[in-house]
Amino acid sequence: MAKKEMEVVKGLDLERYMGRWYEIASFPSFFQPKDGVNTRATYKLNSDGTVHVLNETWSNGKRSSIEGTAYKANPNSDEAKLKVKFYLPPFLPIIPVVGNYWVLFVDDQYQFALIGEPTRKYLWILCRKTHLEDEIYNQLVEKAKEEGYDVSKLHKTPQSDPPPPGEEGPQDTKGFWWFKSLFGK
């Protein structure tokens, strides 16, 4: 049976959505280290209305990051369906990898969000803080289930409190884990 069309947020206030979000849980994906912790995303609005995306994760004590650009899939729609474009690998040849980023839910205070995409292979639960109350977490999981996701695949991301600072500390080659994982090494 065909799954129903996913409901996405309408009228997302991009400015309020900007800033840092911590990954509380996600479907494990090939482009994140299996042992990644403190995974987070930081969004900044560009002057042309696109969004600068910085994804960071820590693996074996080293910070890995990758940057990209997000933009509305259809500028004339009020649905929160974004495309995110990453350049990969971070050296030549430059291959843009484009993914879908659909905001399925965000609360009125823009403190937690549920992100999915049309194939339902990827799912993220994000929060402004490193910890999300169980009650809210369970509501988001329930929402994902209603939208046709197999929530048994959700994996909680360990977050330390306080979170690690940004650019400092030993760094993995920028985006290298992503490159390695593309080839399954």
Side-chain angles (χ1 to χ4, degrees):
M1 133 187 168
K3 289 181 175 156
K4 70 179 178 79
E5 176 73 15
M6 236 178 284
E7 268 185 61
V8 297
V9 170
K10 291 190 166 58
L12 183 74
D13 184 338
L14 264 188
E15 286 191 23
R16 289 185 69 198
Y17 195 77
M18 295 300 98
R20 180 164 287 166
W21 292 87
Y22 295 95
E23 181 184 282
I24 300 299
S26 66
F27 281 4
S29 60
F30 73 90
F31 52 75
Q32 280 179 293
K34 298 240 180 312
D35 58 354
V37 300
N38 297 321
T39 307
R40 65 194 187 195
T42 308
Y43 306 123
K44 283 191 192 118
L45 209 47
N46 295 321
S47 55
D48 63 358
T50 61
V51 174
H52 175 262
V53 177
L54 169 66
N55 286 347
E56 300 172 281
T57 194
W58 275 258
S59 177
N60 300 321
K62 287 189 175 167
R63 171 182 172 273
S64 297
S65 67
I66 191 152
E67 293 178 62
T69 304
Y71 50 93
K72 278 188 86 167
N74 173 1
N76 301 320
S77 163
D78 68 343
E79 290 190 315
K81 293 180 176 178
L82 304 177
K83 296 260 183 209
V84 183
K85 181 161 63 178
F86 292 102
Y87 289 99
L88 212 101
F91 38 87
L92 292 170
I94 291 179
I95 313 159
V97 173
V98 178
N100 290 290
Y101 182 111
W102 289 12
V103 184
L104 304 178
F105 181 83
V106 64
D107 68 298
D108 295 339
Q109 305 299 314
Y110 282 64
Q111 292 303 301
F112 44 89
L114 180 69
I115 313 300
E117 49 75 60
T119 67
R120 295 178 172 83
K121 284 199 191 106
Y122 303 111
L123 186 70
W124 292 270
I125 291 177
L126 304 179
C127 183
R128 295 294 193 180
K129 305 191 301 269
T130 53
H131 172 76
L132 183 61
E133 292 76 24
D134 287 344
E135 186 189 353
I136 296 172
Y137 178 82
N138 293 336
Q139 286 170 356
L140 291 173
V141 169
E142 205 47 49
K143 165 85 175 146
K145 205 190 272 182
E146 284 166 21
E147 296 297 342
Y149 284 85
D150 173 4
V151 295
S152 68
K153 294 195 298 209
L154 267 175
H155 172 81
K156 285 202 171 180
T157 307
Q159 291 283 354
S160 52
D161 203 13
E167 320 296 318
E168 304 83 43
Q171 212 158 317
D172 195 351
T173 320
K174 190 174 176 189
F176 190 62
W177 93 85
W178 202 323
F179 184 57
K180 282 189 299 204
S181 61
L182 275 181
F183 297 98
K185 298 206 169 33

